[in-house]
Amino acid sequence: MTTINPSECIFCRILNGRAPGSFVYQDDFTAAFMDIRQPVPYRVLVVPRAHVETVYDLDAAQAEALFRTTVQVARAVKAASGCEGLNLFQNNGPLAGQDVPHVHMHILPRYPGDALQPSLKSFAQAMGLPMPDRAELDRMAAELRASLA
Ligand code: AMP
Ligand code: ZN
């Protein structure tokens, strides 16, 4: 699903050389470039070349290529930055915090004492969220299993 014209998409513009980008990696299917915001150094974005809005819209080959490139670039980020941890994440839709509607993997190195948001895990722990019982976990797993193609 595409809700914007790719010619208006900032990531398509970067990929086509019509907006500035600091490229880390490029192949026929994917590219990686520096995030314009660097709350910590070596923050990188990995994208499919095609204008695909969210992960739901990726075909299998695009999904494989995106993750393969992400893993390669993550290794390079780890080696270059000397980070002590690294978040890989991406957002789908405005409610999930997606600002740029071209699917992208964030590579976010973590350093001792950085001031970034805690992970979802520590957020949940800090909120004291109860763990659902096993029956509820089994029910959700069965529902998801049934909806897998
Ligand atoms: P999201 O909020 O998940 O859609 O992430 C969008 C990301 O794209 C943010 O981390 C922005 O800093 C980054 N970004 C936006 N515009 C540019 C740009 N022109 N070049 C590089 N990164 C960008
Ligand atoms: Zn795009």
Side-chain angles (χ1 to χ4, degrees):
M1 184 192 69
T2 298
T3 57
I4 67 162
N5 182 337
S7 67
E8 305 295 320
C9 171
I10 181 60
F11 287 177
C12 284
R13 291 170 59 79
I14 291 170
L15 291 167
N16 296 333
R18 287 184 288 118
S22 298
F23 284 92
V24 171
Y25 176 85
Q26 298 199 66
D27 64 27
D28 288 348
F29 305 104
T30 60
F33 50 85
M34 301 309 296
D35 195 302
I36 203 168
R37 296 193 185 87
Q38 295 282 321
V40 296
Y42 298 100
R43 182 181 188 172
V44 175
L45 298 167
V46 186
V47 300
R49 282 203 175 280
H51 181 77
V52 175
E53 192 161 312
T54 69
V55 290
Y56 322 122
D57 308 310
L58 291 167
D59 66 27
Q62 289 168 330
E64 286 172 21
L66 185 64
F67 198 68
R68 190 180 312 115
T69 297
T70 299
V71 170
Q72 288 175 340
V73 175
R75 286 196 193 103
V77 167
K78 184 172 183 293
S81 70
C83 62
E84 293 203 359
L86 186 150
N87 295 111
L88 294 183
F89 67 97
Q90 58 90 227
N91 303 316
N92 296 280
L95 276 181
Q98 184 178 15
D99 293 325
V100 178
H102 181 130
V103 66
H104 48 280
M105 191 75 83
H106 293 263
I107 297 179
L108 182 66
R110 303 303 298 261
Y111 302 95
D114 72 35
L116 302 181
Q117 295 278 336
S119 69
L120 277 179
K121 180 181 168 190
S122 55
F123 176 71
Q125 286 168 344
M127 298 282 289
L129 296 179
M131 288 185 288
D133 61 24
R134 180 58 55 187
E136 178 64 2
L137 294 175
D138 285 346
R139 190 199 63 71
M140 289 189 284
E143 185 181 359
L144 293 173
R145 218 162 40 237
S147 74
L148 282 173

